[in-house]
Amino acid sequence: MIHAAVSMSALGLGLGLLLGLAARRFHVETPPIVDEIDGILPGTNCGACGYPGCRGLAEAMAEGSAPVTACPPGGRDVALQLAAIVVPDADPETALSGMAEAEPTVAFIFEDHCTGCMKCFKRCPTDAIIGANKQIHTVVVDACIGCDACIEVCPTEAIVKRVKPTTLRGWYWTKPQSAFDADSRENAA
Amino acid sequence: MSLPSFAALFRPSQLFTIRGGVHPETRKSLSSESAIEDMPLPSLIRVPLQQHIGAEAEPLVQRDDLVLKGQLIGKARGPVSANIHAPTSGRVIAVGHFTAPHPSGLPVPTITIRPDGEDRWGPRLARLRPEDAPPEEIAAKVAEAGIVGMGGATFPAAVKLNLRAKFDLHTLIINGAECEPYLTCDDRLMRERAEELADGIGIMARALGVQRVIVAIESNKPQAIEAMQRHNRALGFTLRVKVVPTQYPMGSEKHLVKILTGKETPARALTAELGVVVHNAATAYAVHLAVRYGEPLISRVVTVSGRGVRRPANIRALIGTPVADLLAHCGGLAEEPERLLLGGPMMGQPIQNRRVPIVKGTNGVLALTAGETRERDVMPCIRCGLCVQVCPVGLTPFELNARIQADDLQGAAKVGLLDCIACGCCSYTCPSNISLVQTIHFAKGKLAEEESRKHKQEETRRLAAARKAREEAAAEAKRQAMARRKAEMEAKKKREAEAAAQAQTAAPEAEPVQHGDATP
């Protein structure tokens, strides 16, 4: 009994030491830019970019295999911030390669189709879905980032992506045309 | 109490000056001589739950409920919000969304009531004797009655009456300037209900605990001035009626304080920081009704005017009355208006849908014909500087405009975009007809949107972190539970094994004892 215990502990300690040394010896330095990129990304690990989590995307972006526009929930704002550190020399607008100022989208659950399976509830990276087992679920619009994670897991296809509804508070007038705009348009015509 | 300003020492009774401003044609004579009339019950009343600055009220009724006049149907949510009461008795036919009285035409939560025609009052609010009620109770009563600033800003009045706790207040200014052209509702109210108004002012002064009360009226309302001078005592306060020059935007809170006290309110600060609180004249009347008669804010005086209306008038209408009904009551439209506005012509907002209701902050419904609006071609800026001269808050509108047109919102914010009070003097005066104030409106909205997006980014990060923490805690708890269970199982096994061993060794002696235990 004692022999077995001692030999196993010795083995464990020895191997542990070996592993520790190996980790020190063959340590791979992660470029600091990965941490920087990771700090800008939303950190929700929603998977909308196709990489394993925000960290995965950050590594790919540091390598240059992913564009700065790869994070759909982050939208233009995040892309602009990323462009500033990933491709600091390039003009931010060209780096975004015409990424339009997309209207923010949110998930919407058709209540008739919802079976209350809790799959989307568990998957939502920002806890934007509320509901309980066998109860209709609904989306908290203010917390939803429009990452599509819930749409993929819904077994009844009850969730769709919709343009985030404008509220009275968020509405504002469109930009009035300046005289210069009017002139150039006339000339163009 | 703070010291009077240096300038005030030399000019004890005179007025001071404000910078900028314009003198638009007032066109008040269209409606100023028609007495306030009551409007017959409309066939449908739509009461929006968001009629004030702040959080929308929470509906307390359901479809098919019967409501009585003055019944609470929407409860204030949060500190800056206001109660909503049923304007008349009837049946609730919908609690849903309806087009807001707002240029966007977006839907807003609305309670629709079909009046039963009886106009039956429910229980009124408990009355209060303001002469000996504590100030907090007066403010609470005003909050209960759902009173908001009726000059158009719709800030809950009770919040302003409670400023006494935070600031050292000494002066209450009643804003009877009514500087917007066309509007005459406050003018008529001061002429016809001066006594009640004075009482309301006294009640507010008591709630605020101020020593000085000033009623400021523009010089183009001689009858209102006379009426208020006749009724210048209430609850032991002497109301000093001050005649201010007719100049737009005299009715702006900060400008009124400047011209009356000589003190300038710092940018983005409250006038209360100078010890001064400004309330609208119509608000004082609503306070009088709420405190003396227990009547919540369910109606208001609205000026229906403009050359597009056949019979311009001042109408006491229930909150929630559709604009179309008001126009019909005034003889309908003489011609298709170029613009239909809620509020005055300078700061009012155009509406598309005539079925939208009037709300607590609606002081005017204007149907302006093509001859009255200033729809002209936009020309390039000639750097004349007129907009700078008239800007009452000392901004450079042409520069703001140039920066905004070049999408430099941050730059515009640096030169004072957020200090703009949107009075519209710059657009009014611009010889090139540049939409200056409209551009500033856009920029403010856009900037607020960017702010909220940034806020959302931070919130998302926080939510994700919270979720991660929760998941880790759950996993940890599960691990611990498993470990505990495992330990328990092992302990149990051990106990059982020990018991079995014991039983084996001590079987002959122990048996009778066990038997005895088992059958008590």
Side-chain angles (χ1 to χ4, degrees):
Chain A
M1 176 79 181
I2 284 184
H3 289 291
V6 169
S7 62
M8 284 313 279
S9 322
L11 200 67
L13 275 173
L15 286 175
L17 204 69
L18 210 68
L19 272 175
L21 284 174
R24 283 276 173 88
R25 179 84 178 74
F26 303 109
H27 177 62
V28 181
E29 196 72 39
T30 38
I33 193 164
V34 173
D35 289 324
E36 267 181 61
I37 296 172
D38 202 23
I40 291 170
L41 290 171
T44 50
N45 299 326
C46 67
C49 53
Y51 289 88
C54 290
R55 187 83 194 170
L57 175 62
E59 278 161 10
M61 212 177 275
E63 273 174 25
S65 59
V68 290
T69 53
C71 178
R76 213 181 131 84
D77 291 344
V78 164
L80 267 176
Q81 288 175 39
L82 289 172
I85 60 163
V86 179
V87 277
D89 307 327
D91 174 45
E93 292 301 320
T94 51
L96 296 195
S97 59
M99 183 189 195
E101 203 159 330
E103 277 188 281
T105 55
V106 290
F108 176 82
I109 301 179
F110 284 105
E111 294 178 350
D112 300 1
H113 294 216
C114 179
T115 54
C117 69
M118 301 278 284
K119 276 195 175 133
C120 56
F121 176 90
K122 284 178 191 147
R123 182 68 186 82
C124 180
T126 54
D127 295 328
I129 293 178
I130 50 174
N133 199 9
K134 304 232 168 93
Q135 308 275 318
I136 290 170
H137 290 30
T138 196
V139 178
V140 180
V141 171
D142 284 337
C144 180
I145 54 168
C147 69
D148 295 1
C150 50
I151 298 177
E152 283 158 22
V153 296
C154 181
T156 57
E157 295 184 5
I159 311 180
V160 292
K161 191 149 87 168
R162 278 193 177 176
V163 172
K164 190 175 176 182
T166 326
T167 58
L168 217 51
R169 212 175 295 240
W171 182 88
Y172 58 89
W173 286 100
T174 49
K175 188 165 158 183
Q177 213 185 59
S178 74
F180 179 72
D181 287 347
D183 280 352
S184 58
R185 207 149 303 154
E186 268 167 35
N187 292 344
Chain B
M1 189 184 149
S2 67
L3 287 169
S5 76
F6 187 68
L9 292 172
F10 294 97
R11 310 176 68 176
S13 66
Q14 281 162 312
L15 293 174
F16 300 88
T17 53
I18 58 170
R19 57 155 295 141
V22 290
H23 299 272
E25 210 181 308
T26 60
R27 296 181 189 162
K28 287 187 193 267
S29 57
L30 282 173
S31 58
S32 65
E33 299 316 310
S34 45
I36 297 172
E37 50 190 287
D38 278 312
M39 175 152 163
L41 272 181
S43 59
L44 217 57
I45 279 184
R46 293 198 177 90
V47 191
L49 288 167
Q50 172 96 62
Q51 302 187 27
H52 44 263
I53 287 182
E56 71 194 34
E58 191 182 335
L60 296 181
V61 289
Q62 287 173 347
R63 201 180 144 185
D64 289 336
D65 281 359
L66 291 174
V67 292
L68 292 170
K69 186 171 185 162
Q71 184 183 329
L72 186 68
I73 56 173
K75 197 172 179 313
R77 189 164 10 197
V80 183
S81 185
N83 283 341
I84 309 268
H85 300 81
T88 183
S89 61
R91 182 182 291 276
V92 176
I93 60 168
V95 179
H97 283 76
F98 191 75
T99 314
H102 188 263
S104 68
L106 285 169
V108 62
T110 304
I111 295 175
T112 310
I113 298 172
R114 187 181 295 285
D116 57 11
E118 288 169 35
D119 212 21
R120 204 151 21 100
W121 269 97
R124 313 227 177 169
L125 310 177
R127 284 183 212 177
L128 205 62
R129 244 186 80 77
E131 286 83 355
D132 36 44
E136 304 82 48
E137 264 181 43
I138 298 176
K141 184 65 57 191
V142 169
E144 200 186 339
I147 297 173
V148 300
M150 289 168 77
T154 65
F155 190 80
V159 179
K160 258 175 154 180
L161 287 184
N162 273 326
L163 288 174
R164 165 182 28 84
K166 266 193 233 150
F167 300 98
D168 186 16
L169 306 175
H170 51 77
T171 306
L172 166 66
I173 295 177
I174 294 300
N175 186 350
E178 201 166 51
C179 57
E180 280 258 15
Y182 292 97
L183 302 186
T184 53
C185 51
D186 290 355
D187 180 19
R188 288 309 308 190
L189 203 60
M190 285 188 283
R191 284 198 219 174
E192 297 176 32
R193 309 266 201 279
E195 194 178 352
E196 291 93 327
L197 235 150
D199 181 63
I201 296 169
I203 295 169
M204 288 210 279
R206 216 187 116 72
L208 286 165
V210 295
Q211 296 93 39
R212 216 155 55 118
V213 184
I214 301 173
V215 181
I217 306 173
E218 268 191 2
S219 57
N220 61 356
K221 302 177 190 59
Q223 287 107 321
I225 293 164
E226 200 192 321
M228 290 312 294
Q229 272 167 344
R230 248 198 327 271
H231 300 281
N232 65 348
R233 288 191 169 275
L235 270 76
F237 291 96
T238 305
L239 318 181
R240 274 202 270 171
V241 178
K242 289 248 190 167
V243 182
V244 293
T246 304
Q247 180 185 0
Y248 180 86
M250 192 55 73
S252 153
E253 188 174 77
K254 290 178 179 176
H255 292 89
L256 213 48
V257 171
K258 173 80 194 335
I259 204 159
L260 292 172
T261 68
K263 286 187 248 181
E264 190 165 327
T265 317
R268 271 156 281 164
L270 297 171
T271 55
E273 286 171 32
L274 303 178
V276 185
V277 172
V278 184
H279 275 287
N280 187 265
T283 314
Y285 183 63
V287 168
H288 161 79
L289 287 182
V291 174
R292 295 281 182 191
Y293 300 103
E295 286 184 20
L297 178 56
I298 52 170
S299 66
R300 68 156 299 142
V301 183
V302 185
T303 300
V304 182
S305 188
R307 290 196 222 284
V309 180
R310 261 184 235 279
R311 190 177 64 82
N314 298 295
I315 296 174
R316 171 160 288 283
L318 296 176
I319 304 294
T321 305
V323 167
D325 288 31
L326 271 172
L327 291 172
H329 180 72
C330 295
L333 294 171
E335 58 178 287
E336 197 52 31
E338 174 85 9
R339 216 174 275 174
L340 192 62
L341 296 178
L342 289 186
M346 298 294 282
M347 287 184 74
Q349 298 288 315
I351 50 165
Q352 309 300 330
N353 188 344
R354 284 179 204 163
R355 292 192 299 156
V356 299
I358 60 147
V359 291
K360 292 174 184 177
T362 312
N363 42 15
V365 173
L366 303 182
L368 303 183
T369 57
E372 290 170 289
T373 58
R374 296 158 48 97
E375 210 56 72
R376 271 173 288 169
D377 282 346
V378 179
M379 286 175 284
C381 175
I382 54 169
R383 295 290 196 277
C384 64
L386 272 178
C387 54
V388 182
Q389 275 176 33
V390 299
C391 181
V393 285
L395 301 178
T396 47
F398 73 90
E399 190 187 354
L400 284 171
N401 182 53
R403 289 191 185 224
I404 296 162
Q405 291 294 353
D407 289 322
D408 180 17
L409 293 186
Q410 294 304 330
K414 246 178 241 159
V415 292
L417 172 65
L418 298 175
D419 294 326
C420 168
I421 57 168
C423 65
C425 287
C426 49
S427 289
Y428 174 82
T429 197
C430 181
S432 292
N433 308 310
I434 298 171
S435 314
L436 293 162
V437 76
Q438 293 83 343
T439 309
I440 290 171
H441 265 305
F442 152 78
K444 276 181 171 175
K446 177 101 180 155
L447 211 59
E449 190 194 57
E450 275 174 16
E451 252 342 275
S452 85
R453 267 219 298 264
K454 212 171 283 169
H455 177 71
K456 180 157 183 184
Q457 235 181 56
E458 279 160 25
E459 276 302 284
T460 303
R461 207 159 291 156
R462 191 183 62 77
L463 281 171
R467 182 184 162 88
K468 205 168 159 196
R470 198 190 61 222
E471 275 175 349
E472 272 167 12
E476 180 61 34
K478 205 170 169 185
R479 231 185 349 262
Q480 277 180 3
M482 286 288 278
R484 213 177 308 124
R485 212 175 127 75
K486 211 168 160 188
E488 269 171 24
M489 289 289 279
E490 266 170 19
K492 200 174 160 194
K493 241 183 226 165
K494 211 167 163 185
R495 259 202 319 277
E496 274 172 5
E498 273 172 20
Q502 224 169 35
Q504 248 177 16
T505 53
E509 304 99 290
E511 209 165 25
V513 180
Q514 272 178 357
H515 186 76
D517 272 357
T519 51

